[in-house]
Amino acid sequence: MRVFTIAALLLASAPGLPALAADGEDVYSSVCRKCHRTGIDDAPKAGDKAAWAPRVALGREALVKSVIDGKGAMDPRGGKPELTDEEIRAAVDYLLGLVK
Ligand code: HEC
């Protein structure tokens, strides 16, 4: 019984731990997709090469910074302040991977 309690405590504290390898697709699906799948508010659509070309030209780090700081109709960190820089970087890499 005690083992279960300890396991439950460990699980409960897990969200507070720094994310290990962030999964860009997961972050995209849970936070970014609602705007970037359909292009709400002129968000560049995921996988749309023409829409992404001028953004790609800004470079990965500038894009990561845009997401962290927010840009236009996109709130800082895609509207999810809990996201770590690493998770944002992973999601940007995922989006860039779709338009390679
Ligand atoms: C509320 C809708 C919304 C959400 C949620 C959102 N975005 Fe955006 N995103 C936008 C819009 C709108 C733009 C276009 C901003 C502009 O250029 O004015 C944009 C632009 C971008 C750009 C290009 C930035 C640049 O400098 O040109 C990147 C990269 C990006 N989003 C990634 C993400 C990632 C990664 C997430 C999830 C963590 C995310 N977005 C969540 C709406 C959203």
Side-chain angles (χ1 to χ4, degrees):
M1 200 56 190
R2 186 177 296 158
V3 174
F4 287 116
T5 311
I6 291 168
L9 283 172
L10 282 175
L11 280 177
S13 65
L17 296 172
L20 298 173
D23 183 330
E25 187 173 0
D26 271 3
V27 176
Y28 168 76
S29 301
S30 59
V31 183
C32 326
R33 183 172 60 190
K34 64 175 180 221
C35 296
H36 285 279
R37 186 172 63 89
T38 53
I40 280 175
D41 289 329
D42 285 332
K45 265 201 219 177
D48 181 339
K49 284 192 183 181
W52 279 93
R55 319 270 183 183
V56 171
L58 298 174
R60 171 184 183 246
E61 283 310 310
L63 297 179
V64 169
K65 192 172 182 306
S66 295
V67 181
I68 290 173
D69 295 345
K71 185 172 185 181
M74 177 166 62
D75 288 329
R77 296 182 185 272
K80 184 136 200 271
E82 299 88 348
L83 287 184
T84 63
D85 291 1
E86 196 204 339
E87 286 169 321
I88 289 172
R89 212 163 258 128
V92 169
D93 283 345
Y94 173 73
L95 280 162
L96 290 176
L98 298 176
V99 292
K100 261 191 188 143

